[in-house]
Amino acid sequence: MQGIKRLERMEKGQVVGLLLSDGIVRTKKEAEAWLARYIPLEKVYQKAIIEYLKSRGDCVFWKNAAGVYQKQGVPDLTVIVQGTFFGFEVKRPLIGAPSEMQLRMQQKVRLAGGTYEFVSFPEEVKDIIEGRLKDETERESAKTSRVP
């Protein structure tokens, strides 16, 4: 599992090249199948992200249930921190890809002023939240510094 953890942080092309050069697989198609078999399921990454969100202590979040009655494109996790909306769609690294509906929903959320990102790791979520909050703090500071 330690080797997989190292691979999942690399670029897909690098991993495929490594699998081919090390003789683990013979073709790119075999490399794709190898990745699909050995990269952990999305729920593993979701669990790690949820644990991170619980540890923050400053947010409200919930996991959106996928199903027949769920609006398509809604992110896996809805998070609100300091009044700011974040939607996180969790994908398996190297092989997870957004659907067309998810891309459309991402655009709608962004146009409405929210954040919707595709993530795999808690560190990504942390960076996105902290970056957005920092940007908003700086914007507010700039507004108040202009007031006479």
Side-chain angles (χ1 to χ4, degrees), residues 6 14 22 33 49 66 78 86 101 112 126 139:
R6 184 174 58 87
Q14 291 176 298
D22 285 355
I49 291 168
T78 298
F86 297 89
M101 291 300 291
K126 179 182 182 201
R139 259 195 303 279

Side-chain angles (χ1 to χ4, degrees), residues 1 8 12 14 26 28 31 36 52 59 67 74 76-77 80 82 86 93 102 117 121 123 131 138-139:
M1 188 65 173
E8 67 189 10
K12 185 175 183 177
Q14 291 176 298
R26 292 173 292 173
K28 286 184 180 181
Y52 163 70
C59 63
V74 171
D76 293 321
L77 299 169
I80 301 171
Q82 297 176 18
F86 297 89
Q102 290 167 337
E117 299 295 337
F121 304 105
E123 299 83 15
E138 289 172 357
R139 259 195 303 279

Side-chain angles (χ1 to χ4, degrees), residues 4 7-8 34-41 45 92-95:
I4 295 295
L7 292 179
E8 67 189 10
W34 190 94
L35 291 170
R37 181 174 179 186
Y38 290 106
I39 295 296
L41 297 177
Y45 301 97
R92 291 168 75 189
L94 303 173
I95 57 176

